[in-house]
Amino acid sequence: MQLFKSKISVLLLTLASSALSLSAQTYRLPGAHIAEHNDLIAKQENIPNEIKAENAQQFLDNLFKEEEEPELDIYTEGWDSRRVNAYAGAEVPQTRIIDVSNFSMPHPGYVTSPYGYRRRFKRMHKGIDLKAHIGDTIRAAFDGKVRMTNFDRRGYGYYVIVRHENELETVYGHLSKFLVDEDTYVKAGDPIALAGNTGRSTGPHLHFETRFMGYPINPAAIFDFANQTVHTDTYTFDKNTYQNARNFDPNANTEYAKQYQAEYQKNHPYQASTKKSNSGKSSTYTVRKGDSLSKIASRTGVSVKQLCKVNGLKTTTKIRPGQKLKLR
């Protein structure tokens, strides 16, 4: 009986082993599939060696650069126009809320001539004049792209127009030199030009305009020049009120002018002493090496036109060191 039980156990073990063997054969991958899998792995490239830090950084730089620039649709309407107002005939909304929070003051100068109608010239002054000296840096007021750099002998002189992401356009006039080309993308605060005394100008300054679809907004409605900031983070354009200033205080501008002049004299003692020495009874200026009529005009506060008139000169006349020029 014991022998019979042993034979039964051996038989059961043999059957179990056969079943396991059969199960293993059932789930084994076909040889053809294994060969295809090995072939696929053999043909794959070594990806870790293909990705390099330099390439990854280059990719990220290009990615973020593209993200920085706004969509191109704001640079289409009237973009190729050579007019200051590129929106002639366009349908302009009655009101529009404009974000001016990301700003830069175009120049720290105080207001020398406000926006508005000029009885003396019988015409509208569509911007604000800011005190500037020839060679001072002029900066972009907001992010955007340069639409035009041009010269207008009887008006703006050398001027730059920038179209901004917030739909405004700004105009910078009477410049001496461009620092950007047309179609250049600029950020708020980027240098775009140097101040000058070109065009229809009685002395060195920056003529600054803010426009919405051609409408010349009073810059004092957006900027508080006496405090070198914007009034609020948004400006609401309205066809009925765009010519109005906002919180304009002549007394505040006068106080800021004193601060500006004191700071300028502190940082430019040579120019300050030159002006002082030429403010007495003689009203003359002695030409120094490297001087030009425009430089002398900037230092003395007298226009090039005035210098030529009182000295019988032309703008092309060469002046020499030691020569004395009348200022009045």
Side-chain angles (χ1 to χ4, degrees), residues 293-294 304-305 308 312-318:
L293 290 176
S294 60
V304 172
K305 184 177 179 180
C308 291
L313 304 174
K314 295 181 179 179
T315 55
T316 56
T317 302
K318 291 184 178 181

Side-chain angles (χ1 to χ4, degrees), residues 17-294:
S17 177
S18 298
L20 288 171
S21 177
L22 180 59
S23 175
Q25 289 178 358
T26 302
Y27 290 98
R28 181 179 297 165
L29 292 174
H33 184 82
I34 294 174
E36 289 178 3
H37 182 67
N38 291 334
D39 185 55
L40 178 64
I41 293 176
K43 288 185 177 180
Q44 287 181 344
E45 296 179 353
N46 191 343
I47 293 177
N49 289 337
E50 293 296 323
I51 301 177
K52 298 183 182 297
E54 182 180 353
N55 295 339
Q57 186 61 49
Q58 208 170 45
F59 171 76
L60 290 173
D61 290 343
N62 290 334
L63 177 66
F64 294 142
K65 182 178 180 181
E66 290 176 1
E67 289 180 351
E68 281 180 357
E69 295 200 17
E71 297 179 2
L72 296 178
D73 57 354
I74 66 169
Y75 303 127
T76 54
E77 186 171 4
W79 185 255
D80 295 326
S81 172
R82 302 307 293 177
R83 292 173 172 266
V84 173
N85 178 9
Y87 293 93
E91 185 176 345
V92 181
Q94 177 66 32
T95 63
R96 178 68 61 86
I97 296 177
I98 300 171
D99 184 356
V100 295
S101 58
N102 182 29
F103 75 97
S104 171
M105 301 303 292
H107 185 268
Y110 56 91
V111 177
T112 58
S113 182
Y115 174 101
Y117 183 76
R118 287 179 165 180
R119 293 182 180 179
R120 177 184 175 186
F121 300 106
K122 296 182 179 180
R123 61 182 175 84
M124 185 71 178
H125 187 224
K126 297 178 180 179
I128 271 182
D129 291 345
L130 300 175
K131 177 61 180 176
H133 299 83
I134 293 175
D136 284 356
T137 301
I138 306 302
R139 302 179 184 277
F142 308 101
D143 296 352
K145 186 179 285 188
V146 179
R147 177 168 72 82
M148 182 165 61
T149 59
N150 206 356
F151 178 72
D152 175 14
R153 183 172 62 86
R154 296 184 178 182
Y156 293 102
Y158 289 106
Y159 66 100
V160 173
I161 298 179
V162 183
R163 182 173 295 184
H164 303 287
E165 294 176 26
N166 59 10
E167 298 186 277
L168 288 178
E169 281 197 340
T170 49
V171 184
Y172 312 79
H174 307 306
L175 308 171
S176 61
K177 184 179 181 179
F178 302 135
L179 299 180
V180 290
D181 298 319
E182 293 180 0
D183 294 319
T184 300
Y185 182 75
V186 295
K187 303 288 274 184
D190 283 351
I192 59 173
L194 300 182
N197 187 30
T198 58
R200 191 174 183 179
S201 172
T202 57
H205 70 280
L206 170 67
H207 175 80
F208 177 62
E209 295 182 11
T210 50
R211 290 173 175 258
F212 173 69
M213 296 191 71
Y215 277 70
I217 300 167
N218 188 337
I222 299 174
F223 291 93
D224 180 353
F225 293 97
N227 292 295
Q228 294 291 285
T229 186
V230 288
H231 293 292
T232 52
D233 287 344
T234 60
Y235 164 74
T236 302
F237 166 81
D238 189 309
K239 286 183 178 179
N240 297 327
T241 61
Y242 72 91
Q243 294 184 341
N244 298 340
R246 186 157 43 159
N247 301 328
F248 180 70
D249 184 357
N251 292 330
N253 185 63
T254 300
E255 288 302 313
Y256 177 68
K258 292 178 182 177
Q259 296 175 23
Y260 175 86
Q261 290 171 332
E263 187 68 21
Y264 184 83
Q265 291 175 3
K266 177 181 177 182
N267 295 328
H268 302 80
Y270 171 74
Q271 285 89 337
S273 62
T274 302
K275 289 182 180 180
K276 186 176 181 180
S277 65
N278 283 279
S279 61
K281 287 185 178 181
S282 63
S283 296
T284 60
Y285 177 88
T286 302
V287 178
R288 298 170 178 266
K289 185 177 180 180
D291 274 346
S292 64
L293 290 176
S294 60

